[in-house]
Amino acid sequence: MTSEHTEQLISLYNGSIPVRSRWTYRTAEPFTIAAAFQTDNDSWVKWVFARDLLLAGLSSAAGEGDVRFRPGSDASDRVLYVEIESPDGHAMLVMSHADVADFAAVTAAMVPVGEESDFFDVDALIAEITNV
């Protein structure tokens, strides 16, 4: 049985412009999180990254590639800096640390950390790859 958790989170682009984002975790894909960010023309840009990267980024700087996380604080609260980069551009988003930590806690309740392989269907992946 596959279950999914999706949550709408608001981030701030460069600390000032609100950006809606949709974060999704699926038990059928237990190693990854998908985050989609709404652009100014009402389309969504989707990023997929390792759940371990997000978990590490909640406590210290994490990531060397296209997605990086860094905890911090602003004038009033703890925040999580999310930096995403592609050949098309770069964005620095500021999110509520508590909101992202709550999302991460839900993913851990769905699939305990370290038990991801128990939920991963290798046979389905092989069938998908060979059925192209």
Side-chain angles (χ1 to χ4, degrees), residues 1-130:
M1 181 167 114
T2 297
S3 59
E4 177 179 310
H5 176 72
T6 299
E7 197 166 320
Q8 293 280 339
L9 299 174
I10 300 295
S11 53
L12 296 175
Y13 178 62
N14 286 335
S16 60
I17 301 169
V19 176
R20 285 187 345 164
S21 60
R22 183 173 44 229
W23 293 61
T24 303
Y25 182 75
R26 294 182 176 93
T27 57
E29 299 171 358
F31 293 101
T32 62
I33 290 174
F37 299 93
Q38 190 174 27
T39 64
D40 54 354
N41 61 0
D42 206 27
S43 62
W44 293 82
V45 177
K46 181 178 175 181
W47 291 83
V48 178
F49 50 88
R51 178 172 74 158
D52 286 350
L53 177 64
L54 175 64
L55 297 175
L58 287 168
S59 58
S60 63
E64 297 176 5
D66 296 341
V67 179
R68 297 179 291 279
F69 296 99
R70 181 174 43 91
S73 57
D74 65 8
S76 61
D77 205 4
R78 288 191 71 201
V79 297
L80 182 67
Y81 296 101
V82 180
E83 193 171 1
I84 53 179
E85 190 170 357
S86 77
D88 295 329
H90 174 267
M92 173 68 80
L93 304 163
V94 182
M95 304 188 74
S96 162
H97 189 281
D99 289 347
V100 179
D102 288 347
F103 174 82
V106 171
T107 73
M110 293 170 69
V111 175
V113 176
E115 296 181 21
E116 294 88 353
S117 60
D118 295 343
F119 291 79
F120 188 70
D121 188 349
V122 173
D123 294 330
L125 176 64
I126 292 170
E128 181 181 332
I129 291 171
T130 58

